[in-house]
Amino acid sequence: MLNSKSLAKVLGLIYLILALIFSPFILLMMSAEGALGLTESIIIIIVVILFYGIAGAIGGFLIGVIYNFVAKKVGGIEMEIETA
């Protein structure tokens, strides 16, 4: 069983970090189309970062719920771990 809330937190943070990394490139592509002011640029970066973080958290929660539902019906993922 996956803890859906924990998966939501982890994926939300991962997506937030990815948005921090890629938001300057998104801003650069948007500014190539036309002139963007400083205020618009800051607002766009904040919205993109928050959107990716929230979307990652929601997606992680849904993945956890769906996985738990399917795993109960057909069985979970089997893993063999060997110590070296």
Side-chain angles (χ1 to χ4, degrees), residues 1 6 12 17-18 22 29 36 42-44 50 70-71 73 75-76 78 80:
M1 296 267 309
S6 176
I17 291 169
L18 287 173
F22 290 111
M29 288 186 289
L36 283 177
I42 292 171
I43 291 171
I44 289 170
L50 289 176
V70 171
K73 301 291 182 193
E78 289 187 31
E80 292 183 24

Side-chain angles (χ1 to χ4, degrees), residues 19-58:
L20 282 171
I21 293 169
F22 290 111
S23 61
F25 300 111
I26 294 170
L27 188 62
L28 183 65
M29 288 186 289
M30 291 182 73
S31 66
E33 294 177 4
L36 283 177
L38 180 63
T39 306
E40 292 91 359
S41 301
I42 292 171
I43 291 171
I44 289 170
I45 286 178
I46 291 171
V47 168
V48 165
I49 291 170
L50 289 176
F51 174 77
Y52 270 78
I54 292 169
I58 292 170

Side-chain angles (χ1 to χ4, degrees), residues 7-21 52-53 56-57:
L7 185 60
K9 285 189 263 183
V10 170
L11 282 181
L13 184 62
I14 288 172
Y15 276 71
L16 189 94
I17 291 169
L18 287 173
L20 282 171
I21 293 169
Y52 270 78

